[in-house]
Amino acid sequence: MTNLTQVNNGQTCRITWLLGRYSDIFRRLELHENDMLQMIQNQGRTLLFKHCGKKLAMSADMAVSIKVCDVI
């Protein structure tokens, strides 16, 4: 299990935990445990990923609070 900032471009992963002070924001973005994400672009400081047909951008500070596992 890693955090979202460690996911490579093009990789698909599943959310296992949503941690910390950003829980209200995650809820508004409709991010939930067991949801699938596909990383479009990870530039280290900013991330762009696809979730439920939408593209979302997020700072690395927020993304470290999202724990994910690889999807094979």
Side-chain angles (χ1 to χ4, degrees):
M1 184 171 18
T2 61
N3 63 51
L4 189 57
T5 60
Q6 297 170 318
V7 175
N8 296 321
N9 296 342
Q11 187 176 353
T12 301
C13 59
R14 181 184 311 272
I15 299 173
T16 49
W17 290 343
L18 296 168
L19 307 171
R21 60 185 175 196
Y22 300 111
S23 60
D24 290 337
I25 296 170
F26 296 151
R27 209 175 357 253
R28 281 187 258 145
L29 292 173
E30 298 178 5
L31 294 174
H32 306 284
E33 292 176 357
N34 293 318
D35 284 355
M36 303 291 281
L37 304 175
Q38 181 181 16
M39 185 62 67
I40 297 170
Q41 188 173 40
N42 183 347
Q43 295 182 320
R45 291 179 144 193
T46 57
L47 295 88
L48 179 64
F49 57 92
K50 191 180 245 186
H51 172 259
C52 294
K54 299 182 284 187
K55 292 180 183 174
L56 300 173
M58 186 176 288
S59 71
D61 293 340
M62 188 180 298
V64 295
S65 297
I66 300 175
K67 302 299 181 190
V68 298
C69 62
D70 293 339
V71 174
I72 299 173

